[in-house]
């Protein structure tokens, strides 16, 4: 297999070793609105790095979450869930978990949408929409957390 | 372009892993929204929460739980593989790492699935 040195990852051209045989996404698509393209590229390196590191954190968070909630039958009981959510330390951990998972999920969605022709033509709208969904999800989850 | 994700013929395992990573990501994102919505039942008290638990944690839903677990394990383990490569490590051994990833996914999934089976089936 040949080594790909320059590939486009979530709209960002990465120079270096990376996945082989990825679905190729072209920066030269004639339909791309150049203004939108430039607009989306400004924060892409930061979003990409955050996506990587939030992914690592989530692997730990999600594994722990599944383990704790499936440890025994009691773990899913109403009283146990409320007891966990009433603990301030756990509440803070869950809030961090919520922020990280929402960022990772909706930044991932954004990356996928920006890879489509629709996303390339409407990059600004896609970015805004994913940001709004992300903020709404965080606020919604946070109100749930503070209600205990 | 999205249709390409489902095309298997003529594609390498790396390319398929890339497509599955995205597909499982979409599945997990939808589940995240459902999970947050589902947890709202906690605010309505014990009865509504336990009613939802009785609907979703039962032998009939176990196959879906196992599929969701597979998507989670694959996305997590494959994601760690991608991070390792993106940071420039062991790229020259990417085929071996990919096979290792599939092996780890299978082992973790079977073990976690077994625990889930015990929990639901008692």
């Amino acid at each position: 297999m040949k080594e790909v040195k320059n590939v486009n990852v979530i709209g960002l051209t990465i120079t270096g070793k990376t996945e082989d045989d990825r679905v190729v996404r072209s920066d030269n698509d004639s339909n791309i609105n150049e203004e939108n393209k430039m607009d989306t590229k400004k924060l892409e390196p930061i979003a990409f790095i955050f996506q990587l590191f939030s992914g690592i954190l989530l692997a730990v968070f999600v594994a722990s979450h599944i383990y704790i909630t499936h440890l025994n039958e009691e773990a899913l009981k109403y009283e146990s869930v409320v007891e966990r959510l009433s603990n301030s330390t756990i509440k803070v951990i869950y809030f961090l978990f919520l922020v990280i998972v929402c960022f990772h999920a909706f930044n991932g969605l954004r990356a996928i949408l920006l890879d489509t022709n629709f996303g390339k033509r409407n990059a600004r709208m896609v970015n805004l929409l994913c940001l709004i969904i992300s903020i709404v999800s965080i606020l919604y989850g946070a109100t749930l957390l503070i209600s205990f | 372009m999205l249709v390409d994700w489902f095309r298997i013929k003529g594609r390498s395992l790396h390319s398929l892993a890339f497509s599955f990573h995205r597909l499982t990501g979409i599945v997990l994102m939808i589940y995240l929204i459902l999970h947050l919505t589902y947890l709202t039942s906690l605010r309505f008290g014990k009865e509504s929460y336990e009613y939802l638990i009785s609907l979703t944690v039962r032998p009939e839903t176990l196959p879906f739980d196992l599929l969701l677990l597979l998507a989670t394990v694959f996305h997590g383990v494959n994601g760690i593989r991608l991070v390792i490569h993106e940071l420039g490590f062991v790229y020259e051994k990417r085929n071996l790492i990919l096979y290792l990833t599939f092996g780890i996914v299978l082992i973790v999934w079977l073990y976690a699935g077994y625990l889930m089976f015990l929990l639901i089936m008692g």
Side-chain angles (χ1 to χ4, degrees), chain A residues 18 22 76 79 115 140, chain B residues 1 22 40 46 49 86 91:
Chain A
T18 181
R22 276 182 166 163
L76 282 176
E79 292 79 8
D115 266 354
Y140 183 77
Chain B
M1 191 179 288
R22 290 199 149 186
T40 307
K46 187 177 174 174
Y49 172 77
E86 294 291 355
Y91 190 71

Side-chain angles (χ1 to χ4, degrees), chain A residues 42-138:
Chain A
K42 284 177 191 166
L43 291 171
E44 289 303 335
I46 298 168
F48 180 67
I49 298 293
F50 269 51
Q51 189 73 0
L52 291 189
F53 288 102
S54 62
I56 295 171
L57 287 172
L58 280 180
V60 178
F61 268 137
V62 172
S64 311
H65 182 63
I66 293 175
Y67 183 72
I68 290 167
T69 54
H70 292 77
L71 198 58
N72 52 47
E73 276 185 45
E74 293 299 311
L76 282 176
K77 289 259 190 292
Y78 178 80
E79 292 79 8
S80 304
V81 178
V82 171
E83 190 187 333
R84 275 202 301 276
L85 292 178
S86 304
N87 182 310
S88 309
T89 310
I90 292 179
K91 211 176 269 198
V92 172
I93 292 170
Y94 266 118
F95 180 71
L96 288 174
F97 183 18
L98 176 73
V99 172
I100 293 169
V101 78
C102 286
F103 169 80
H104 191 85
F106 299 113
N107 187 51
L109 173 68
R110 189 183 68 87
I112 291 171
L113 290 175
L114 289 178
D115 266 354
T116 63
N117 288 330
F118 169 81
K120 284 173 182 168
R121 281 193 298 270
N122 304 282
R124 195 174 289 180
M125 190 187 82
V126 168
N127 286 337
L128 189 65
L129 191 70
C130 289
L131 180 69
I132 290 170
I133 299 172
S134 193
I135 290 171
V136 168
S137 301
I138 292 170

Side-chain angles (χ1 to χ4, degrees), chain A residues 1-4 9-10 14 17-25 29 48 51-53 55-56 59 62 65-67 69-79 81-82 85 98 101-102 104-106 108-109 111-112 115-117 120 133 137-138 140-141 143-144 147-148, chain B residues 1-2 4-5 11-19 21-23 25-26 28-29 32-33 35-47 49-50 53 57 69 72 75-76 78-83 85-88 91-92 94-95 98 111-112 115-116 118-119 122:
Chain A
M1 275 182 238
K2 65 179 179 184
E3 191 170 293
V4 182
V9 182
I10 57 168
I14 297 284
K17 291 175 177 178
T18 181
E19 275 295 272
D20 188 53
D21 281 340
R22 276 182 166 163
V23 177
V24 177
R25 302 174 293 282
D29 192 322
F48 180 67
Q51 189 73 0
L52 291 189
F53 288 102
I56 295 171
V62 172
H65 182 63
I66 293 175
Y67 183 72
T69 54
H70 292 77
L71 198 58
N72 52 47
E73 276 185 45
E74 293 299 311
L76 282 176
K77 289 259 190 292
Y78 178 80
E79 292 79 8
V81 178
V82 171
L85 292 178
L98 176 73
V101 78
C102 286
H104 191 85
F106 299 113
L109 173 68
I112 291 171
D115 266 354
T116 63
N117 288 330
K120 284 173 182 168
I133 299 172
S137 301
I138 292 170
Y140 183 77
T143 54
L144 198 61
S147 64
F148 292 98
Chain B
M1 191 179 288
L2 291 177
D4 286 344
W5 293 6
R11 291 178 63 192
S12 71
L13 269 181
H14 287 274
S15 184
L16 287 173
F18 173 79
S19 293
H21 193 77
R22 290 199 149 186
L23 284 173
I26 292 170
L28 293 174
M29 186 206 66
L32 170 69
I33 296 168
H35 193 58
L36 285 175
T37 312
Y38 179 100
L39 287 174
T40 307
S41 65
L42 281 167
R43 296 173 82 170
F44 298 116
K46 187 177 174 174
E47 272 186 27
Y49 172 77
E50 292 197 339
I53 285 286
V57 183
L69 184 66
T72 309
H75 197 83
N78 190 55
I80 290 170
R81 178 184 72 88
L82 292 175
V83 172
H85 288 328
E86 294 291 355
L87 294 178
Y91 190 71
E92 60 285 353
R94 60 193 178 279
N95 286 341
L98 184 65
Y111 178 68
L115 293 182
M116 198 172 268
L118 288 182
L119 178 81

